[in-house]
Amino acid sequence: MAFRCPRGWLWRWRRNPLKRRADVVEAWVLLGTGTLTVVVGVLAGVTVTRSVEREMARERAEWRPVAASLTEDTPGPPPASSVEQVWAEVRWVAPDGSMRTGQARVRPGSPGGSPVTVWTDGEGSLVAEPASEEQARLRSSLVGGFVGGGAAVVPLVGGRLLLGRLECRRLDQWDVDWARFDPLWGPRAG
């Protein structure tokens, strides 16, 4: 690959009486690989980003905060002295009217029966608090970027493998040509 000067960038496409068919094929493979790498990476990244954003928007729309209460005292110092949270069992009423229990993060030292806000899905199961719009945008962009980068590797690696195979074939052809013309030059001085 030549990046010496602007004139040298497109050396593979210039007319040259010494240019072999393999050189033309290599030029097209490089162009196709570069194009596919960009297109596949961008399409995969954008598709995944939009999908993740839609899923997080659905979660924000469907998941609801629910009032729950602690079933037992939580160990630790009083709530005012610590900002860390501990796991504790909480009880809440599901949308179908049934009582549910589960584990949630609460302040340490909270007495049993204390009110706690938990998030539930449409079926009443505990879920994490949904991401805000800004958090969702950041997460979806990161996931889309990683997936797009990973997807772009596939045509890039495929193109590099094909170019390696072309190089092996070109070297094999060079050996055949050399073996055919070497005896014509006669004995070497040595």
Side-chain angles (χ1 to χ4, degrees):
M1 194 174 252
F3 286 107
R4 291 181 293 273
C5 65
R7 190 178 135 162
W9 286 358
L10 300 174
W11 67 270
R12 295 178 191 279
W13 300 102
R14 291 190 308 219
R15 294 190 186 276
N16 185 341
L18 299 177
K19 189 181 337 184
R20 301 163 294 186
R21 183 169 182 252
D23 296 329
V24 174
V25 170
E26 182 179 5
W28 281 107
V29 167
L30 280 171
L31 180 65
T33 299
T35 303
L36 272 176
T37 298
V38 171
V39 169
V40 167
V42 169
L43 285 178
V46 167
T47 302
V48 169
T49 298
R50 288 181 180 166
S51 175
V52 170
E53 279 182 354
R54 274 194 307 271
E55 179 62 23
M56 290 186 166
R58 184 191 63 77
E59 289 173 358
R60 279 193 307 277
E62 292 178 3
W63 294 358
R64 298 284 178 240
V66 175
S69 61
L70 286 171
T71 59
E72 56 190 31
D73 294 345
T74 57
S81 66
S82 177
V83 293
E84 293 185 21
Q85 296 185 331
V86 296
W87 289 100
E89 189 170 295
V90 295
R91 180 179 296 129
W92 72 95
V93 178
D96 62 2
S98 64
M99 289 298 282
R100 303 259 179 107
T101 59
Q103 296 283 319
R105 305 274 296 175
V106 298
R107 292 186 181 265
S110 299
S114 298
V116 178
T117 300
V118 295
W119 286 82
T120 61
D121 61 10
E123 299 170 357
S125 300
L126 279 180
V127 292
E129 183 177 352
S132 67
E133 286 187 43
E134 295 81 21
Q135 291 170 334
R137 196 172 307 118
L138 176 64
R139 288 179 191 174
S140 62
S141 296
L142 287 173
V143 170
F146 284 127
V147 169
V153 168
V154 174
L156 184 65
V157 168
R160 293 308 300 170
L161 290 173
L162 184 56
L163 287 174
R165 181 66 188 127
L166 287 171
E167 182 68 20
C168 287
R169 200 166 164 210
R170 187 172 29 236
L171 289 174
D172 291 342
Q173 186 61 43
W174 179 262
D175 288 341
V176 168
D177 291 344
W178 186 258
R180 187 172 33 165
F181 288 107
D182 189 37
L184 299 176
W185 289 358
R188 292 191 184 106

mmCIF file of all heavy atoms in Angstrom, residues 7-56:
data_model
loop_
_atom_site.group_PDB
_atom_site.id
_atom_site.type_symbol
_atom_site.label_atom_id
_atom_site.label_comp_id
_atom_site.label_asym_id
_atom_site.label_seq_id
_atom_site.Cartn_x
_atom_site.Cartn_y
_atom_site.Cartn_z
ATOM 1 N N ARG A 7 0.237 11.665 -5.419
ATOM 2 C CA ARG A 7 0.333 11.058 -6.735
ATOM 3 C C ARG A 7 0.492 9.537 -6.625
ATOM 4 O O ARG A 7 0.052 8.788 -7.486
ATOM 5 C CB ARG A 7 1.527 11.651 -7.469
ATOM 6 C CG ARG A 7 1.591 11.284 -8.902
ATOM 7 C CD ARG A 7 2.765 11.966 -9.523
ATOM 8 N NE ARG A 7 3.435 10.976 -10.349
ATOM 9 C CZ ARG A 7 4.267 11.244 -11.285
ATOM 10 N NH1 ARG A 7 4.615 12.493 -11.488
ATOM 11 N NH2 ARG A 7 4.805 10.303 -12.003
ATOM 12 N N GLY A 8 1.094 9.074 -5.539
ATOM 13 C CA GLY A 8 1.349 7.648 -5.363
ATOM 14 C C GLY A 8 0.188 6.872 -4.780
ATOM 15 O O GLY A 8 0.217 5.651 -4.733
ATOM 16 N N TRP A 9 -0.857 7.548 -4.325
ATOM 17 C CA TRP A 9 -1.977 6.864 -3.679
ATOM 18 C C TRP A 9 -2.697 5.920 -4.633
ATOM 19 O O TRP A 9 -3.149 4.871 -4.240
ATOM 20 C CB TRP A 9 -2.965 7.863 -3.129
ATOM 21 C CG TRP A 9 -2.479 8.549 -1.893
ATOM 22 C CD1 TRP A 9 -1.309 8.345 -1.230
ATOM 23 C CD2 TRP A 9 -3.154 9.569 -1.182
ATOM 24 N NE1 TRP A 9 -1.208 9.174 -0.159
ATOM 25 C CE2 TRP A 9 -2.329 9.938 -0.102
ATOM 26 C CE3 TRP A 9 -4.360 10.218 -1.351
ATOM 27 C CZ2 TRP A 9 -2.696 10.910 0.805
ATOM 28 C CZ3 TRP A 9 -4.715 11.189 -0.444
ATOM 29 C CH2 TRP A 9 -3.890 11.529 0.627
ATOM 30 N N LEU A 10 -2.841 6.321 -5.850
ATOM 31 C CA LEU A 10 -3.622 5.544 -6.808
ATOM 32 C C LEU A 10 -2.723 4.803 -7.800
ATOM 33 O O LEU A 10 -3.122 4.554 -8.936
ATOM 34 C CB LEU A 10 -4.598 6.461 -7.548
ATOM 35 C CG LEU A 10 -5.591 7.188 -6.654
ATOM 36 C CD1 LEU A 10 -6.413 8.176 -7.470
ATOM 37 C CD2 LEU A 10 -6.500 6.202 -5.951
ATOM 38 N N TRP A 11 -1.532 4.426 -7.379
ATOM 39 C CA TRP A 11 -0.594 3.783 -8.299
ATOM 40 C C TRP A 11 -1.136 2.476 -8.847
ATOM 41 O O TRP A 11 -0.773 2.055 -9.936
ATOM 42 C CB TRP A 11 0.758 3.571 -7.638
ATOM 43 C CG TRP A 11 0.758 2.589 -6.508
ATOM 44 C CD1 TRP A 11 0.551 2.853 -5.196
ATOM 45 C CD2 TRP A 11 0.974 1.188 -6.594
ATOM 46 N NE1 TRP A 11 0.608 1.722 -4.445
ATOM 47 C CE2 TRP A 11 0.876 0.668 -5.282
ATOM 48 C CE3 TRP A 11 1.231 0.301 -7.633
ATOM 49 C CZ2 TRP A 11 1.027 -0.684 -4.998
ATOM 50 C CZ3 TRP A 11 1.392 -1.037 -7.343
ATOM 51 C CH2 TRP A 11 1.290 -1.519 -6.035
ATOM 52 N N ARG A 12 -2.015 1.803 -8.138
ATOM 53 C CA ARG A 12 -2.547 0.526 -8.605
ATOM 54 C C ARG A 12 -3.471 0.702 -9.819
ATOM 55 O O ARG A 12 -3.729 -0.251 -10.533
ATOM 56 C CB ARG A 12 -3.329 -0.162 -7.500
ATOM 57 C CG ARG A 12 -2.468 -0.559 -6.336
ATOM 58 C CD ARG A 12 -3.313 -1.188 -5.249
ATOM 59 N NE ARG A 12 -2.593 -1.365 -4.021
ATOM 60 C CZ ARG A 12 -1.761 -2.353 -3.767
ATOM 61 N NH1 ARG A 12 -1.530 -3.259 -4.670
ATOM 62 N NH2 ARG A 12 -1.144 -2.438 -2.610
ATOM 63 N N TRP A 13 -3.976 1.899 -10.030
ATOM 64 C CA TRP A 13 -4.954 2.122 -11.085
ATOM 65 C C TRP A 13 -4.334 2.765 -12.334
ATOM 66 O O TRP A 13 -5.016 2.936 -13.333
ATOM 67 C CB TRP A 13 -6.088 3.001 -10.562
ATOM 68 C CG TRP A 13 -6.753 2.351 -9.412
ATOM 69 C CD1 TRP A 13 -6.577 2.642 -8.103
ATOM 70 C CD2 TRP A 13 -7.662 1.257 -9.447
ATOM 71 N NE1 TRP A 13 -7.322 1.803 -7.320
ATOM 72 C CE2 TRP A 13 -8.008 0.933 -8.129
ATOM 73 C CE3 TRP A 13 -8.222 0.499 -10.474
ATOM 74 C CZ2 TRP A 13 -8.877 -0.088 -7.793
ATOM 75 C CZ3 TRP A 13 -9.101 -0.514 -10.150
ATOM 76 C CH2 TRP A 13 -9.413 -0.790 -8.819
ATOM 77 N N ARG A 14 -3.059 3.132 -12.278
ATOM 78 C CA ARG A 14 -2.422 3.749 -13.447
ATOM 79 C C ARG A 14 -2.119 2.704 -14.510
ATOM 80 O O ARG A 14 -1.898 1.532 -14.213
ATOM 81 C CB ARG A 14 -1.119 4.433 -13.034
ATOM 82 C CG ARG A 14 -1.341 5.650 -12.189
ATOM 83 C CD ARG A 14 -0.067 6.411 -12.027
ATOM 84 N NE ARG A 14 0.989 5.527 -11.559
ATOM 85 C CZ ARG A 14 1.902 5.849 -10.678
ATOM 86 N NH1 ARG A 14 1.903 7.036 -10.165
ATOM 87 N NH2 ARG A 14 2.835 4.985 -10.309
ATOM 88 N N ARG A 15 -2.040 3.149 -15.757
ATOM 89 C CA ARG A 15 -1.654 2.255 -16.855
ATOM 90 C C ARG A 15 -0.163 1.976 -16.748
ATOM 91 O O ARG A 15 0.630 2.864 -16.484
ATOM 92 C CB ARG A 15 -1.973 2.884 -18.194
ATOM 93 C CG ARG A 15 -3.441 3.069 -18.432
ATOM 94 C CD ARG A 15 -3.661 3.461 -19.882
ATOM 95 N NE ARG A 15 -5.044 3.783 -20.122
ATOM 96 C CZ ARG A 15 -5.978 2.880 -20.386
ATOM 97 N NH1 ARG A 15 -5.666 1.618 -20.429
ATOM 98 N NH2 ARG A 15 -7.218 3.247 -20.605
ATOM 99 N N ASN A 16 0.176 0.722 -16.996
ATOM 100 C CA ASN A 16 1.572 0.324 -16.923
ATOM 101 C C ASN A 16 1.720 -0.955 -17.740
ATOM 102 O O ASN A 16 0.996 -1.926 -17.505
ATOM 103 C CB ASN A 16 1.966 0.082 -15.463
ATOM 104 C CG ASN A 16 3.428 -0.224 -15.287
ATOM 105 O OD1 ASN A 16 4.120 -0.600 -16.230
ATOM 106 N ND2 ASN A 16 3.895 -0.064 -14.070
ATOM 107 N N PRO A 17 2.653 -0.996 -18.681
ATOM 108 C CA PRO A 17 2.802 -2.210 -19.501
ATOM 109 C C PRO A 17 3.299 -3.406 -18.688
ATOM 110 O O PRO A 17 3.121 -4.545 -19.102
ATOM 111 C CB PRO A 17 3.813 -1.811 -20.565
ATOM 112 C CG PRO A 17 4.519 -0.627 -20.022
ATOM 113 C CD PRO A 17 3.564 0.063 -19.105
ATOM 114 N N LEU A 18 3.878 -3.161 -17.517
ATOM 115 C CA LEU A 18 4.378 -4.270 -16.697
ATOM 116 C C LEU A 18 3.350 -4.756 -15.671
ATOM 117 O O LEU A 18 3.609 -5.697 -14.929
ATOM 118 C CB LEU A 18 5.659 -3.838 -15.966
ATOM 119 C CG LEU A 18 6.824 -3.444 -16.866
ATOM 120 C CD1 LEU A 18 7.985 -2.967 -16.019
ATOM 121 C CD2 LEU A 18 7.232 -4.611 -17.737
ATOM 122 N N LYS A 19 2.195 -4.105 -15.643
ATOM 123 C CA LYS A 19 1.186 -4.495 -14.662
ATOM 124 C C LYS A 19 0.606 -5.853 -15.050
ATOM 125 O O LYS A 19 0.192 -6.076 -16.181
ATOM 126 C CB LYS A 19 0.063 -3.461 -14.606
ATOM 127 C CG LYS A 19 -0.881 -3.733 -13.455
ATOM 128 C CD LYS A 19 -2.066 -2.806 -13.293
ATOM 129 C CE LYS A 19 -2.000 -1.474 -13.859
ATOM 130 N NZ LYS A 19 -3.163 -0.637 -13.570
ATOM 131 N N ARG A 20 0.613 -6.752 -14.064
ATOM 132 C CA ARG A 20 0.103 -8.099 -14.297
ATOM 133 C C ARG A 20 -1.379 -8.166 -13.939
ATOM 134 O O ARG A 20 -1.917 -7.284 -13.270
ATOM 135 C CB ARG A 20 0.878 -9.102 -13.427
ATOM 136 C CG ARG A 20 2.359 -9.104 -13.714
ATOM 137 C CD ARG A 20 3.094 -9.765 -12.611
ATOM 138 N NE ARG A 20 2.944 -8.926 -11.412
ATOM 139 C CZ ARG A 20 3.553 -9.142 -10.271
ATOM 140 N NH1 ARG A 20 4.342 -10.172 -10.131
ATOM 141 N NH2 ARG A 20 3.371 -8.338 -9.251
ATOM 142 N N ARG A 21 -2.001 -9.237 -14.359
ATOM 143 C CA ARG A 21 -3.415 -9.461 -14.023
ATOM 144 C C ARG A 21 -3.583 -9.541 -12.512
ATOM 145 O O ARG A 21 -4.560 -9.046 -11.948
ATOM 146 C CB ARG A 21 -3.888 -10.755 -14.678
ATOM 147 C CG ARG A 21 -5.348 -11.026 -14.444
ATOM 148 C CD ARG A 21 -5.826 -12.173 -15.325
ATOM 149 N NE ARG A 21 -7.231 -12.398 -15.125
ATOM 150 C CZ ARG A 21 -7.726 -13.445 -14.492
ATOM 151 N NH1 ARG A 21 -6.922 -14.362 -14.018
ATOM 152 N NH2 ARG A 21 -9.018 -13.576 -14.348
ATOM 153 N N ALA A 22 -2.618 -10.147 -11.833
ATOM 154 C CA ALA A 22 -2.673 -10.266 -10.373
ATOM 155 C C ALA A 22 -2.662 -8.891 -9.712
ATOM 156 O O ALA A 22 -3.301 -8.697 -8.671
ATOM 157 C CB ALA A 22 -1.509 -11.103 -9.868
ATOM 158 N N ASP A 23 -1.982 -7.930 -10.294
ATOM 159 C CA ASP A 23 -1.960 -6.574 -9.740
ATOM 160 C C ASP A 23 -3.332 -5.923 -9.842
ATOM 161 O O ASP A 23 -3.773 -5.216 -8.921
ATOM 162 C CB ASP A 23 -0.918 -5.718 -10.455
ATOM 163 C CG ASP A 23 0.493 -6.222 -10.241
ATOM 164 O OD1 ASP A 23 0.761 -6.800 -9.165
ATOM 165 O OD2 ASP A 23 1.329 -6.048 -11.152
ATOM 166 N N VAL A 24 -4.002 -6.148 -10.957
ATOM 167 C CA VAL A 24 -5.342 -5.599 -11.143
ATOM 168 C C VAL A 24 -6.314 -6.245 -10.155
ATOM 169 O O VAL A 24 -7.127 -5.563 -9.523
ATOM 170 C CB VAL A 24 -5.822 -5.809 -12.600
ATOM 171 C CG1 VAL A 24 -7.261 -5.386 -12.771
ATOM 172 C CG2 VAL A 24 -4.912 -5.068 -13.563
ATOM 173 N N VAL A 25 -6.230 -7.563 -10.012
ATOM 174 C CA VAL A 25 -7.101 -8.268 -9.067
ATOM 175 C C VAL A 25 -6.846 -7.767 -7.654
ATOM 176 O O VAL A 25 -7.782 -7.525 -6.880
ATOM 177 C CB VAL A 25 -6.888 -9.805 -9.159
ATOM 178 C CG1 VAL A 25 -7.596 -10.519 -8.041
ATOM 179 C CG2 VAL A 25 -7.350 -10.311 -10.510
ATOM 180 N N GLU A 26 -5.587 -7.586 -7.291
ATOM 181 C CA GLU A 26 -5.255 -7.094 -5.955
ATOM 182 C C GLU A 26 -5.833 -5.701 -5.714
ATOM 183 O O GLU A 26 -6.351 -5.410 -4.634
ATOM 184 C CB GLU A 26 -3.744 -7.075 -5.766
ATOM 185 C CG GLU A 26 -3.320 -6.623 -4.380
ATOM 186 C CD GLU A 26 -1.818 -6.621 -4.202
ATOM 187 O OE1 GLU A 26 -1.083 -6.880 -5.179
ATOM 188 O OE2 GLU A 26 -1.379 -6.361 -3.077
ATOM 189 N N ALA A 27 -5.762 -4.852 -6.730
ATOM 190 C CA ALA A 27 -6.320 -3.501 -6.601
ATOM 191 C C ALA A 27 -7.823 -3.554 -6.356
ATOM 192 O O ALA A 27 -8.350 -2.844 -5.490
ATOM 193 C CB ALA A 27 -6.009 -2.688 -7.853
ATOM 194 N N TRP A 28 -8.519 -4.405 -7.093
ATOM 195 C CA TRP A 28 -9.970 -4.528 -6.902
ATOM 196 C C TRP A 28 -10.313 -5.147 -5.547
ATOM 197 O O TRP A 28 -11.286 -4.750 -4.911
ATOM 198 C CB TRP A 28 -10.589 -5.330 -8.044
ATOM 199 C CG TRP A 28 -10.773 -4.508 -9.274
ATOM 200 C CD1 TRP A 28 -10.049 -4.582 -10.417
ATOM 201 C CD2 TRP A 28 -11.712 -3.457 -9.471
ATOM 202 N NE1 TRP A 28 -10.482 -3.645 -11.321
ATOM 203 C CE2 TRP A 28 -11.515 -2.947 -10.757
ATOM 204 C CE3 TRP A 28 -12.710 -2.901 -8.682
ATOM 205 C CZ2 TRP A 28 -12.268 -1.902 -11.280
ATOM 206 C CZ3 TRP A 28 -13.465 -1.859 -9.200
ATOM 207 C CH2 TRP A 28 -13.243 -1.370 -10.483
ATOM 208 N N VAL A 29 -9.523 -6.113 -5.113
ATOM 209 C CA VAL A 29 -9.759 -6.718 -3.798
ATOM 210 C C VAL A 29 -9.570 -5.673 -2.705
ATOM 211 O O VAL A 29 -10.371 -5.594 -1.762
ATOM 212 C CB VAL A 29 -8.837 -7.941 -3.576
ATOM 213 C CG1 VAL A 29 -8.842 -8.379 -2.125
ATOM 214 C CG2 VAL A 29 -9.262 -9.085 -4.472
ATOM 215 N N LEU A 30 -8.534 -4.864 -2.810
ATOM 216 C CA LEU A 30 -8.320 -3.815 -1.813
ATOM 217 C C LEU A 30 -9.465 -2.812 -1.798
ATOM 218 O O LEU A 30 -9.945 -2.422 -0.724
ATOM 219 C CB LEU A 30 -6.996 -3.095 -2.088
ATOM 220 C CG LEU A 30 -5.745 -3.799 -1.617
ATOM 221 C CD1 LEU A 30 -4.511 -3.099 -2.143
ATOM 222 C CD2 LEU A 30 -5.712 -3.864 -0.108
ATOM 223 N N LEU A 31 -9.909 -2.400 -2.970
ATOM 224 C CA LEU A 31 -11.018 -1.448 -3.049
ATOM 225 C C LEU A 31 -12.294 -2.053 -2.470
ATOM 226 O O LEU A 31 -12.998 -1.426 -1.670
ATOM 227 C CB LEU A 31 -11.246 -1.006 -4.493
ATOM 228 C CG LEU A 31 -12.385 -0.013 -4.705
ATOM 229 C CD1 LEU A 31 -12.075 1.305 -4.019
ATOM 230 C CD2 LEU A 31 -12.632 0.195 -6.191
ATOM 231 N N GLY A 32 -12.587 -3.293 -2.858
ATOM 232 C CA GLY A 32 -13.785 -3.962 -2.342
ATOM 233 C C GLY A 32 -13.722 -4.197 -0.845
ATOM 234 O O GLY A 32 -14.714 -4.002 -0.132
ATOM 235 N N THR A 33 -12.561 -4.601 -0.349
ATOM 236 C CA THR A 33 -12.399 -4.835 1.086
ATOM 237 C C THR A 33 -12.590 -3.547 1.870
ATOM 238 O O THR A 33 -13.286 -3.526 2.878
ATOM 239 C CB THR A 33 -11.005 -5.426 1.377
ATOM 240 O OG1 THR A 33 -10.887 -6.676 0.709
ATOM 241 C CG2 THR A 33 -10.786 -5.611 2.847
ATOM 242 N N GLY A 34 -11.984 -2.471 1.402
ATOM 243 C CA GLY A 34 -12.140 -1.185 2.092
ATOM 244 C C GLY A 34 -13.578 -0.717 2.107
ATOM 245 O O GLY A 34 -14.093 -0.273 3.142
ATOM 246 N N THR A 35 -14.234 -0.828 0.964
ATOM 247 C CA THR A 35 -15.631 -0.408 0.869
ATOM 248 C C THR A 35 -16.528 -1.259 1.766
ATOM 249 O O THR A 35 -17.351 -0.736 2.522
ATOM 250 C CB THR A 35 -16.113 -0.493 -0.592
ATOM 251 O OG1 THR A 35 -15.256 0.306 -1.398
ATOM 252 C CG2 THR A 35 -17.546 -0.024 -0.731
ATOM 253 N N LEU A 36 -16.368 -2.588 1.676
ATOM 254 C CA LEU A 36 -17.179 -3.478 2.514
ATOM 255 C C LEU A 36 -16.926 -3.253 4.002
ATOM 256 O O LEU A 36 -17.857 -3.301 4.805
ATOM 257 C CB LEU A 36 -16.899 -4.940 2.165
ATOM 258 C CG LEU A 36 -17.727 -5.537 1.053
ATOM 259 C CD1 LEU A 36 -17.263 -6.951 0.756
ATOM 260 C CD2 LEU A 36 -19.196 -5.522 1.400
ATOM 261 N N THR A 37 -15.682 -3.021 4.362
ATOM 262 C CA THR A 37 -15.361 -2.799 5.770
ATOM 263 C C THR A 37 -16.105 -1.584 6.300
ATOM 264 O O THR A 37 -16.724 -1.641 7.365
ATOM 265 C CB THR A 37 -13.835 -2.617 5.942
ATOM 266 O OG1 THR A 37 -13.185 -3.816 5.530
ATOM 267 C CG2 THR A 37 -13.475 -2.309 7.368
ATOM 268 N N VAL A 38 -16.078 -0.499 5.553
ATOM 269 C CA VAL A 38 -16.763 0.715 5.995
ATOM 270 C C VAL A 38 -18.274 0.518 6.007
ATOM 271 O O VAL A 38 -18.955 0.840 6.994
ATOM 272 C CB VAL A 38 -16.369 1.910 5.096
ATOM 273 C CG1 VAL A 38 -17.232 3.118 5.392
ATOM 274 C CG2 VAL A 38 -14.898 2.245 5.289
ATOM 275 N N VAL A 39 -18.827 -0.020 4.932
ATOM 276 C CA VAL A 39 -20.283 -0.175 4.830
ATOM 277 C C VAL A 39 -20.818 -1.132 5.901
ATOM 278 O O VAL A 39 -21.790 -0.827 6.591
ATOM 279 C CB VAL A 39 -20.680 -0.651 3.408
ATOM 280 C CG1 VAL A 39 -22.127 -1.074 3.349
ATOM 281 C CG2 VAL A 39 -20.410 0.449 2.409
ATOM 282 N N VAL A 40 -20.177 -2.300 6.051
ATOM 283 C CA VAL A 40 -20.644 -3.277 7.038
ATOM 284 C C VAL A 40 -20.524 -2.715 8.449
ATOM 285 O O VAL A 40 -21.433 -2.853 9.267
ATOM 286 C CB VAL A 40 -19.859 -4.605 6.897
ATOM 287 C CG1 VAL A 40 -20.081 -5.511 8.082
ATOM 288 C CG2 VAL A 40 -20.270 -5.315 5.619
ATOM 289 N N GLY A 41 -19.394 -2.064 8.755
ATOM 290 C CA GLY A 41 -19.203 -1.499 10.088
ATOM 291 C C GLY A 41 -20.243 -0.442 10.419
ATOM 292 O O GLY A 41 -20.837 -0.448 11.502
ATOM 293 N N VAL A 42 -20.475 0.459 9.490
ATOM 294 C CA VAL A 42 -21.441 1.539 9.733
ATOM 295 C C VAL A 42 -22.860 0.990 9.835
ATOM 296 O O VAL A 42 -23.611 1.343 10.756
ATOM 297 C CB VAL A 42 -21.340 2.614 8.627
ATOM 298 C CG1 VAL A 42 -22.499 3.584 8.701
ATOM 299 C CG2 VAL A 42 -20.019 3.359 8.739
ATOM 300 N N LEU A 43 -23.247 0.114 8.910
ATOM 301 C CA LEU A 43 -24.611 -0.433 8.953
ATOM 302 C C LEU A 43 -24.861 -1.238 10.224
ATOM 303 O O LEU A 43 -25.905 -1.087 10.861
ATOM 304 C CB LEU A 43 -24.876 -1.304 7.725
ATOM 305 C CG LEU A 43 -25.107 -0.561 6.417
ATOM 306 C CD1 LEU A 43 -25.318 -1.551 5.272
ATOM 307 C CD2 LEU A 43 -26.291 0.375 6.521
ATOM 308 N N ALA A 44 -23.914 -2.078 10.607
ATOM 309 C CA ALA A 44 -24.089 -2.869 11.829
ATOM 310 C C ALA A 44 -24.147 -1.956 13.048
ATOM 311 O O ALA A 44 -24.999 -2.137 13.930
ATOM 312 C CB ALA A 44 -22.954 -3.881 11.969
ATOM 313 N N GLY A 45 -23.262 -0.973 13.108
ATOM 314 C CA GLY A 45 -23.247 -0.063 14.252
ATOM 315 C C GLY A 45 -24.529 0.737 14.377
ATOM 316 O O GLY A 45 -25.103 0.852 15.461
ATOM 317 N N VAL A 46 -24.999 1.288 13.274
ATOM 318 C CA VAL A 46 -26.227 2.096 13.298
ATOM 319 C C VAL A 46 -27.435 1.220 13.639
ATOM 320 O O VAL A 46 -28.302 1.617 14.439
ATOM 321 C CB VAL A 46 -26.424 2.813 11.947
ATOM 322 C CG1 VAL A 46 -27.816 3.403 11.823
ATOM 323 C CG2 VAL A 46 -25.369 3.894 11.776
ATOM 324 N N THR A 47 -27.502 0.024 13.066
ATOM 325 C CA THR A 47 -28.627 -0.869 13.338
ATOM 326 C C THR A 47 -28.687 -1.252 14.812
ATOM 327 O O THR A 47 -29.747 -1.196 15.440
ATOM 328 C CB THR A 47 -28.522 -2.141 12.472
ATOM 329 O OG1 THR A 47 -28.499 -1.755 11.098
ATOM 330 C CG2 THR A 47 -29.681 -3.075 12.722
ATOM 331 N N VAL A 48 -27.549 -1.628 15.374
ATOM 332 C CA VAL A 48 -27.528 -2.028 16.783
ATOM 333 C C VAL A 48 -27.803 -0.828 17.684
ATOM 334 O O VAL A 48 -28.528 -0.949 18.678
ATOM 335 C CB VAL A 48 -26.183 -2.704 17.123
ATOM 336 C CG1 VAL A 48 -26.015 -2.878 18.614
ATOM 337 C CG2 VAL A 48 -26.092 -4.041 16.425
ATOM 338 N N THR A 49 -27.261 0.329 17.350
ATOM 339 C CA THR A 49 -27.507 1.525 18.158
ATOM 340 C C THR A 49 -28.996 1.833 18.213
ATOM 341 O O THR A 49 -29.549 2.073 19.295
ATOM 342 C CB THR A 49 -26.737 2.728 17.579
ATOM 343 O OG1 THR A 49 -25.346 2.451 17.630
ATOM 344 C CG2 THR A 49 -27.032 3.997 18.348
ATOM 345 N N ARG A 50 -29.656 1.805 17.083
ATOM 346 C CA ARG A 50 -31.098 2.088 17.055
ATOM 347 C C ARG A 50 -31.885 1.031 17.810
ATOM 348 O O ARG A 50 -32.848 1.339 18.513
ATOM 349 C CB ARG A 50 -31.585 2.182 15.611
ATOM 350 C CG ARG A 50 -31.123 3.433 14.934
ATOM 351 C CD ARG A 50 -31.633 3.527 13.532
ATOM 352 N NE ARG A 50 -31.179 4.749 12.899
ATOM 353 C CZ ARG A 50 -31.242 4.972 11.611
ATOM 354 N NH1 ARG A 50 -31.756 4.065 10.807
ATOM 355 N NH2 ARG A 50 -30.799 6.107 11.115
ATOM 356 N N SER A 51 -31.489 -0.218 17.674
ATOM 357 C CA SER A 51 -32.177 -1.304 18.369
ATOM 358 C C SER A 51 -32.063 -1.144 19.892
ATOM 359 O O SER A 51 -33.042 -1.297 20.620
ATOM 360 C CB SER A 51 -31.605 -2.644 17.931
ATOM 361 O OG SER A 51 -32.164 -3.691 18.667
ATOM 362 N N VAL A 52 -30.866 -0.848 20.356
ATOM 363 C CA VAL A 52 -30.656 -0.677 21.801
ATOM 364 C C VAL A 52 -31.422 0.542 22.300
ATOM 365 O O VAL A 52 -32.045 0.498 23.379
ATOM 366 C CB VAL A 52 -29.147 -0.576 22.124
ATOM 367 C CG1 VAL A 52 -28.913 -0.162 23.559
ATOM 368 C CG2 VAL A 52 -28.455 -1.892 21.834
ATOM 369 N N GLU A 53 -31.409 1.630 21.540
ATOM 370 C CA GLU A 53 -32.165 2.821 21.945
ATOM 371 C C GLU A 53 -33.667 2.521 22.030
ATOM 372 O O GLU A 53 -34.337 2.954 22.969
ATOM 373 C CB GLU A 53 -31.922 3.971 20.970
ATOM 374 C CG GLU A 53 -30.639 4.709 21.210
ATOM 375 C CD GLU A 53 -30.449 5.885 20.261
ATOM 376 O OE1 GLU A 53 -31.259 6.069 19.329
ATOM 377 O OE2 GLU A 53 -29.462 6.608 20.455
ATOM 378 N N ARG A 54 -34.201 1.786 21.056
ATOM 379 C CA ARG A 54 -35.629 1.428 21.093
ATOM 380 C C ARG A 54 -35.955 0.573 22.316
ATOM 381 O O ARG A 54 -36.967 0.770 22.964
ATOM 382 C CB ARG A 54 -36.017 0.677 19.819
ATOM 383 C CG ARG A 54 -36.399 1.564 18.668
ATOM 384 C CD ARG A 54 -37.084 0.783 17.553
ATOM 385 N NE ARG A 54 -36.322 -0.374 17.109
ATOM 386 C CZ ARG A 54 -35.403 -0.364 16.157
ATOM 387 N NH1 ARG A 54 -35.119 0.755 15.543
ATOM 388 N NH2 ARG A 54 -34.771 -1.470 15.813
ATOM 389 N N GLU A 55 -35.082 -0.399 22.602
ATOM 390 C CA GLU A 55 -35.316 -1.276 23.748
ATOM 391 C C GLU A 55 -35.282 -0.490 25.055
ATOM 392 O O GLU A 55 -36.116 -0.705 25.937
ATOM 393 C CB GLU A 55 -34.270 -2.401 23.787
ATOM 394 C CG GLU A 55 -34.414 -3.350 24.936
ATOM 395 C CD GLU A 55 -35.726 -4.117 24.941
ATOM 396 O OE1 GLU A 55 -36.362 -4.277 23.890
ATOM 397 O OE2 GLU A 55 -36.133 -4.557 26.041
ATOM 398 N N MET A 56 -34.346 0.423 25.190
ATOM 399 C CA MET A 56 -34.277 1.218 26.413
ATOM 400 C C MET A 56 -35.439 2.199 26.521
ATOM 401 O O MET A 56 -35.913 2.474 27.619
ATOM 402 C CB MET A 56 -32.936 1.935 26.506
ATOM 403 C CG MET A 56 -31.785 0.998 26.770
ATOM 404 S SD MET A 56 -30.258 1.896 27.038
ATOM 405 C CE MET A 56 -29.251 0.594 27.717
#
